[in-house]
Amino acid sequence: MSISGIADDLSRWAEGAQDRFSELFEPSLRLGVTGLARSGKTVFITSLAANLLRRSRMMGLTAQAEGRILAAALSPQPDMEAPRFDFEKHLGDLYAAPPRWPDSTSSVAQLRVSIRYEPTGILANLTGDAALHLDIVDYPGEWLLDLALMPMSYDDWARTALAAAATRAQAADYIEWMRGVDPEADFIEGDAQTGARLFSAYLQACRRAGYSNLTPGRFLLPGEMAGAPALTFAPLPPHSDGAKGSLAATMAERFEAYKRVVVRPFFRDHFARLDRQIVLVDALGAISNGAEAVADMEMALTGILGAFRPGANSWLSAILGKKIDKLLLAVTKADHIHHRYHPSLQALVRDLLSQSVDRAAFKGAEVDAIAIAGVRATIEEEIRRAGETVPVVRGRLPSGEQAQLFPGEPPNSMTQLARSDWGADVFAVEPLAPPVLEPREDEGPPHIRLDQALEFLIGDRLGGR
Ligand SMILES: Nc1nc2c(ncn2[C@@H]2O[C@H](COP(=O)(O)OP(=O)(O)OP(=O)(O)O)[C@@H](O)[C@H]2O)c(=O)[nH]1
Ligand SMILES: [Mg+2]
C-alpha cells in the first residue's frame, strides 16, 4: 500500500460512526490503565482500541467469538477537561515507515470506544441491540504512589525520603545542598527552588537507574504544574523550631499544599470514578536489571495496589464513590520470550500479586494476573543448539537489524527469583524495534492476549444487560 493509501486508511480507522452511538443514557464503563513509566501503557491502549475497531484478532473476547459485536467506533469522550488520548498519532507512529514506538506521555488522557452488541439471555429478544461506551483512562502509576503521602506529616515524609537518599549515590548533590542550608533561616524563594531542583534531579537519576518507588510523583512528571509553589519543596532534617516564615516551615506548608492541590484532586476527580482497572508491569525489564530492581518493583507495586484497597486508607475510603470491582495485573512485553515460557511468567505474576497484596483485602473485587503484549514485535522460532531444541524469538533491534533472541528462562515464582542470582547474565531482554505492519481492513496490530485481558475486564458487560 502506498504512503497516502496508509494515511487514508488510518484516518478511516479512527473515523467514528457517531450517528450510531448518539443516544443518551447508554451505559458506560471507565477502565483505568496505569503502570510505572515505560511499562507499555500507550502501546497497550493504542493497540487495544485499534483491535476493538478491527476485531479479527480478538476471538478471545466471547462477544466477538459469538459474532455479537455489531460495531465499534471512537466517540467523543464525556470529560471536557481531560486531554484526549492521541490515538491517531500513536497508531500512525506504529504504521509509519519505518514504524516508531509512541512518544512518552505524562498526564491523564482519555479515549472513548463505543461498542454496539447483541445482548444474550432472556433480554435479547426484548431489547434488540445494546451499546456500551468504554472510557479508557490512561494515568501514570507514579501518581498512585503519592497516596502514601496523605497520612504523613512533612517531617514523617522528610525522614523517610532522607533515609532512602542516604543510601544512594544519586543524592550526593542534594545532600551537599541540604547540609549547607539552615532550616531555621528566613525563607528565600531561591533556596526552595534550588532544593526542589536538586531533589527532582535526584529522583530522575534514581528512575534512570531503574528505581520506581519514588515520591512525590509530580516531581518526575510535573505536567502543567512545573514551577508551581506546591511542587517547590524538598525534604529537610527534622527541626525543633518551625518558626513561621522559616525555610523549614515554608517547605512543610508546601508539602501540605502538594497533598491538597495535587494528590487529593487526582484521587477525587480521576481515580474515584474508575469502574475497572488494569495495572501494567514491565516485570521482564525489572528481572533483567537484577535483584534490586525487582525488589524496588515489588515495593512500588505494593504501593500502587494499595490504592485499590481503600479500606486500608480511611482518607481514600471517604472520597471513593464506588469501588473498582475488577482488577487485572498484566505483565507487558511478553513477546520478548517464546510462548513456551509464558506459563512461568504467568505463574511469577500470580505469585507477585499474592505477595504484594493480601487478596482478602480486595473484598468484592475480582483480581487476576496475565502476561500480555500490546504489540507483538517478534515471531517465534526454534534453533538447535548442542543437540537440543531451543525456543527463541526473532525481532528487529532498534538499529533495524534482525536478531534471534533467547533472553533466558524466566523464573516462575518469587522464591525462585529470590534464590537465584538474576541479572543480565542470567536473563536479559533488550528493547526491540516495533514490527513492520501493513494496515488491513479487518485486523489491528498483532498482540498477545489483549482479547483475554479485555474479556476479564469487560466481558460481563457485553453479555445480557
Ligand atoms: N516488544 C514490545 N515492546 C513494547 C511493548 N509495549 C511497549 N514496549 C516498549 O516499551 C516502551 C514504552 O512503551 P509505552 O507504551 O510508551 O509505555 P508508557 O507506559 O506509555 O510510557 P510513558 O508514557 O513514558 O510512561 C516502548 O517504547 C517499547 O520500546 C510490547 O507490547 N512489545
Ligand atoms: Mg505513555
Side-chain angles (χ1 to χ4, degrees):
M1 197 182 286
S2 70
I3 295 288
S4 66
I6 290 176
D8 278 0
D9 187 73
L10 288 177
S11 64
R12 265 191 291 127
W13 200 322
E15 209 165 73
Q18 278 150 28
D19 49 339
R20 278 178 286 162
F21 291 101
S22 57
E23 295 130 85
L24 292 171
F25 309 120
E26 283 172 333
S28 65
L29 184 140
R30 286 173 89 84
L31 170 65
V33 178
T34 199
L36 296 167
R38 316 309 287 152
S39 56
K41 300 179 290 295
T42 304
V43 170
F44 170 81
I45 296 174
T46 306
S47 184
L48 185 71
N51 276 291
L52 265 172
L53 301 180
R54 300 187 172 180
R55 294 177 296 283
S56 68
R57 296 187 196 267
M58 295 297 271
M59 290 304 166
L61 186 61
T62 305
Q64 175 63 22
E66 293 176 353
R68 292 190 293 102
I69 300 191
L70 307 172
L74 298 184
S75 30
Q77 71 195 49
D79 297 55
M80 291 297 159
E81 74 294 350
R84 179 177 176 282
F85 181 85
D86 201 349
F87 173 72
E88 294 78 0
K89 163 85 173 63
H90 300 318
L91 191 70
D93 281 347
L94 281 176
Y95 282 90
R100 299 179 291 269
W101 292 116
D103 289 338
S104 192
T105 46
S106 58
S107 65
V108 171
Q110 209 180 91
L111 187 70
R112 170 168 277 202
V113 183
S114 299
I115 304 166
R116 186 162 295 287
Y117 66 95
E118 268 173 38
T120 53
I122 40 168
L123 288 177
N125 297 333
L126 299 175
T127 57
D129 303 349
L132 176 71
H133 299 291
L134 177 65
D135 289 313
I136 304 173
V137 184
D138 174 13
Y139 66 97
E142 281 79 358
W143 294 5
L144 293 179
L145 297 177
D146 278 347
L147 182 64
L149 303 182
M150 287 309 288
M152 288 189 184
S153 69
Y154 172 71
D155 280 350
D156 291 340
W157 170 69
R159 207 174 292 117
T160 323
L162 291 175
T167 64
R168 294 177 183 164
Q170 291 86 349
D173 289 348
Y174 178 73
I175 289 176
E176 192 186 324
W177 171 82
M178 189 186 73
R179 292 213 173 107
V181 295
D182 174 7
E184 312 296 335
D186 282 352
F187 170 77
I188 298 171
E189 185 65 45
D191 285 345
Q193 285 174 353
T194 310
R197 183 172 50 75
L198 292 172
F199 191 68
S200 301
Y202 151 69
L203 293 177
Q204 305 275 6
C206 286
R207 181 147 92 185
R208 282 193 298 277
Y211 293 104
S212 34
N213 193 23
L214 305 165
T215 57
R218 287 305 156 102
F219 278 42
L220 292 161
L221 301 164
E224 75 279 13
M225 289 200 71
L231 265 62
T232 310
F233 65 92
L236 294 174
H239 50 286
S240 48
D241 173 22
K244 205 165 168 43
S246 69
L247 179 63
T250 310
M251 293 287 204
E253 275 166 32
R254 290 182 173 189
F255 176 76
E256 291 303 323
Y258 181 84
K259 293 199 292 187
R260 198 171 57 246
V261 304
V262 174
V263 186
R264 183 182 287 268
F266 164 69
F267 277 93
R268 185 191 57 214
D269 301 340
H270 295 288
F271 185 78
R273 294 165 59 213
L274 299 174
D275 298 300
R276 308 233 161 131
Q277 176 68 46
I278 179 166
V279 176
L280 306 182
V281 194
D282 181 10
L284 294 174
I287 298 167
S288 311
N289 284 334
E292 216 180 311
V294 171
D296 185 70
M297 173 190 72
E298 242 193 296
M299 214 149 84
L301 201 58
T302 307
I304 288 178
L305 293 173
F308 299 101
R309 290 182 295 140
N313 187 308
S314 54
W315 167 79
L316 186 56
S317 306
I319 62 159
L320 280 188
K322 57 187 167 197
K323 266 190 21 189
I324 285 170
D325 60 357
K326 276 173 182 268
L327 172 74
L328 186 61
L329 179 67
V331 167
T332 52
K333 313 181 194 179
D335 57 320
H336 280 277
I337 53 175
H338 193 279
H339 80 268
R340 191 185 297 176
Y341 300 116
H342 287 190
S344 297
L345 190 58
Q346 304 252 111
L348 177 73
V349 199
R350 291 228 157 79
D351 205 16
L352 189 64
L353 183 66
S354 60
Q355 302 242 332
S356 306
V357 298
D358 171 8
R359 271 162 188 265
F362 283 97
K363 278 191 214 86
E366 214 181 311
V367 183
D368 206 353
I370 192 171
I372 64 166
V375 171
R376 170 177 217 144
T378 59
I379 52 169
E380 298 187 335
E381 290 178 354
E382 288 186 341
I383 54 171
R384 301 280 303 166
R385 193 189 279 164
E388 276 188 51
T389 307
V390 183
V392 298
V393 294
R394 173 188 286 279
R396 282 188 319 129
L397 299 176
S399 62
E401 194 189 324
Q402 287 273 344
Q404 272 183 330
L405 302 158
F406 178 72
E409 281 188 39
N412 61 15
S413 69
M414 291 305 288
T415 332
Q416 205 191 56
L417 186 59
R419 255 205 319 261
S420 340
D421 184 17
W422 294 95
D425 46 341
V426 184
F427 184 89
V429 291
E430 41 192 322
L432 293 169
V436 176
L437 303 171
E438 281 239 337
R440 297 210 8 203
E441 284 291 334
D442 60 336
E443 67 182 26
H447 62 79
I448 298 175
R449 298 191 196 90
L450 280 193
D451 47 354
Q452 288 178 33
L454 202 62
E455 175 68 17
F456 174 83
L457 290 164
I458 70 161
D460 60 327
R461 297 290 300 270
L462 296 173
R465 53 173 200 182

